[in-house]
Amino acid sequence: MTPRRTSRRRFLAGFGAVGTAALAGCSSLPFGDDSRAEQPAVSLATDDVGSVAWPASPFPVPIPGSLAAAHEARVRDLLAEVPTEPSIPNEAVAADLASDRERAAAGVDRAVDDPWPVDALAAWRRRRERAATVRGAYRAATGGGDPATAAERRQTVRADLRAFEADVTYRARSPREAVLAYGPVESLLADCERRVRPTPPYPEDPVADPFRAGEAVGRVETARATLDDAAGLREAYLAERPEATAQWASVAAAAEDLEGSARRTRGVVREALGDGPSGDDVQGTVARELFRETEWIVESQIDDVERAMDVGEYATAVVASGRALAATEAHRAAGEAIREGGYREPVTAESVRTAADRARAAVADIGEAEATRLAAAIGRPALERVRYAIDLVDEGYGSVVRVRALLTHAVLLARAAPEAAAFVDERLR
């Protein structure tokens, strides 16, 4: 047995040890009777958290700039059809349309700073939806709305979606690349499916309800944009991998195997940790917040695995299983530390800065993982925890305890991601 396989086996074996050793039989974590001082008021600045450099995008090939350029061109064309001062008898409608157009136009020239190209495309789709909504509302308010045309366009997008779905066979160079390339495609197809539904329905009298008409048009526009991006990602990948072959059977088998691993691992750790900390000594502490946060993420990731398996999105299920394993390891590590008395101390600006530094170091390690792109995909929840913490500080919401817990959780998730990625990678071979 190679050293790598030994370490991969330890990844899950370690969870089993939790259930049969020190934590065996625990229905809740035993905490001491030490009292906790009241959390003093702490003011955080943006610099206390700073920023975190994301690892390279997990998508296995470069994403052409033409996809974003097509969205930008479409946004500008849509807005060009709406005058800055619409001439509409209903002054209230005219004022709202002018305001909506101004907001939509203001975002067109704003830089897209999302760290991964797939996310940048999502930002452009949101801008496209806003522009289409404004154009659709303007047409409806000026008598140019047509329920039949709107329904026909929706049906066309739905038919194109079905044709695309029927041709997804995970053509790729390897099962690992199939997961990385088609996971984002599956996510886009699922989003297209949601948006192509007739909710809200296009009104029978568009002039009387122009903004509902605009919303309906915007959703169909976004469904088309989303499907175009899915096709664009697949085309970009296959253009770089002419030797690609169908990997459906391998990915589906790995997804089923990993779903079982994620469920069993979650069960062992949940039984070992029980309901978590309780008592006056943990109220309002990082310990309590961290336990709840890590537990919630585990359940959320397991839900994602189950949903993906139910609808046959096996590439998505593989990544979600890896995230569930990493999340469960983070939950276990947090629970053991809390059991030993950790995370009860009052939060200070210095402790937040220290947690942020640790998060930066842990995220940097993702880029050094053997299965780097897979580790990045699995480690995304860690990056999102940091981004959420930054947003809370920037916007002045949330407590310092919450910020510190998010950063600590990010550290635990990022540390678990490379090992979880290696475990997943073995099942894709």
Side-chain angles (χ1 to χ4, degrees), residues 142-195:
T142 55
D146 182 2
T149 300
E152 182 181 355
R153 187 165 188 231
R154 188 187 301 275
Q155 290 294 339
T156 298
V157 177
R158 182 181 287 112
D160 291 345
L161 171 62
R162 295 291 175 260
F164 189 100
E165 289 174 328
D167 191 38
V168 176
T169 59
Y170 298 150
R171 281 178 288 160
R173 185 168 60 179
S174 66
R176 180 205 288 181
E177 283 206 354
V179 167
L180 295 172
Y182 288 91
V185 170
E186 287 178 338
S187 178
L188 290 168
L189 296 180
D191 189 40
C192 182
E193 177 68 44
R194 288 188 293 270
R195 292 180 179 277

Side-chain angles (χ1 to χ4, degrees), residues 42 45 92 103 171 175 238 245 247 272-273 294-295 327 369 393 402 408 429:
V42 177
R103 283 195 296 271
R171 281 178 288 160
L238 293 177
T245 58
Q247 304 289 338
L273 297 182
T294 58
E295 184 177 49
V393 174
R402 176 72 169 148
T408 302
R429 294 178 183 175

Side-chain angles (χ1 to χ4, degrees), residues 32 61 78 97 140 205 219 224 240 250 266 283 299 324 341 378:
V61 301
L78 290 167
L97 272 174
D205 185 358
R219 286 182 65 85
R224 168 55 67 190
E240 296 284 334
S250 297
R266 187 268 304 264
Q283 295 306 311
E299 297 308 310
I378 290 172

Side-chain angles (χ1 to χ4, degrees), residues 64 180 277 319-320 365:
L180 295 172
V319 174
D365 287 343

Side-chain angles (χ1 to χ4, degrees), residues 28-391:
S28 61
L29 296 176
F31 292 94
D33 295 327
D34 56 309
S35 60
R36 179 184 62 84
E38 194 69 25
Q39 169 68 49
V42 177
S43 178
L44 292 179
T46 302
D47 289 345
D48 290 323
V49 178
S51 61
V52 171
W54 285 40
S57 167
F59 198 76
V61 301
I63 294 176
S66 59
L67 297 181
H71 290 315
E72 181 178 359
R74 177 64 173 163
V75 169
R76 295 187 185 280
D77 288 346
L78 290 167
L79 292 177
E81 295 187 28
V82 184
T84 55
E85 296 182 2
S87 178
I88 299 172
N90 188 320
E91 293 182 359
V93 171
D96 286 344
L97 272 174
S99 177
D100 290 348
R101 188 200 184 284
E102 182 180 5
R103 283 195 296 271
V108 177
D109 295 320
R110 190 178 303 127
V112 176
D113 57 0
D114 293 270
W116 288 346
V118 168
D119 297 322
L121 290 177
W124 274 112
R125 290 195 302 274
R126 289 191 294 272
R127 295 176 181 185
R128 186 166 162 176
E129 180 170 14
R130 286 193 291 269
T133 299
V134 171
R135 200 275 301 266
Y138 174 71
R139 281 190 172 180
T142 55
D146 182 2
T149 300
E152 182 181 355
R153 187 165 188 231
R154 188 187 301 275
Q155 290 294 339
T156 298
V157 177
R158 182 181 287 112
D160 291 345
L161 171 62
R162 295 291 175 260
F164 189 100
E165 289 174 328
D167 191 38
V168 176
T169 59
Y170 298 150
R171 281 178 288 160
R173 185 168 60 179
S174 66
R176 180 205 288 181
E177 283 206 354
V179 167
L180 295 172
Y182 288 91
V185 170
E186 287 178 338
S187 178
L188 290 168
L189 296 180
D191 189 40
C192 182
E193 177 68 44
R194 288 188 293 270
R195 292 180 179 277
V196 83
R197 296 168 188 163
T199 307
Y202 195 90
E204 290 298 322
D205 185 358
V207 175
D209 199 350
F211 294 105
R212 185 155 68 94
E215 185 179 353
V217 169
R219 286 182 65 85
V220 176
E221 179 76 27
T222 308
R224 168 55 67 190
T226 303
L227 185 56
D228 288 347
D229 278 348
L233 291 182
R234 184 175 66 173
E235 290 169 6
Y237 175 75
L238 293 177
E240 296 284 334
R241 301 289 189 266
E243 75 280 19
T245 58
Q247 304 289 338
W248 184 272
S250 297
V251 174
E256 184 174 359
D257 185 15
L258 287 163
E259 179 192 24
S261 295
R263 285 176 176 273
R264 290 190 297 272
T265 303
R266 187 268 304 264
V268 169
V269 172
R270 185 163 59 181
E271 181 179 0
L273 297 182
D275 295 331
S278 61
D280 293 339
D281 65 319
V282 295
Q283 295 306 311
T285 65
V286 173
R288 186 62 174 159
E289 185 73 26
L290 180 61
F291 192 91
R292 287 174 172 171
E293 169 78 9
T294 58
E295 184 177 49
W296 175 79
I297 289 291
V298 171
E299 297 308 310
S300 176
Q301 296 299 342
I302 291 292
D303 287 346
D304 286 348
V305 176
E306 293 174 349
R307 186 208 63 80
M309 291 297 293
D310 285 345
V311 296
E313 295 175 359
Y314 298 119
T316 300
V318 167
V319 174
S321 294
R323 290 175 179 172
L325 289 168
T328 304
E329 165 60 11
H331 184 46
R332 182 201 63 78
E336 285 196 331
I338 293 168
R339 185 174 69 91
E340 296 299 324
Y343 304 121
R344 288 183 176 81
E345 69 279 1
V347 178
T348 64
E350 179 60 32
S351 70
V352 170
R353 287 192 289 270
T354 298
D357 288 341
R358 289 173 178 164
R360 273 185 284 276
V363 168
D365 287 343
I366 291 176
E368 302 299 322
E370 183 175 347
T372 303
R373 293 187 186 276
L374 197 53
I378 290 172
R380 178 168 186 137
L383 304 168
E384 291 174 340
R385 297 293 88 192
V386 176
R387 184 161 58 185
Y388 185 27
I390 293 171
D391 288 345

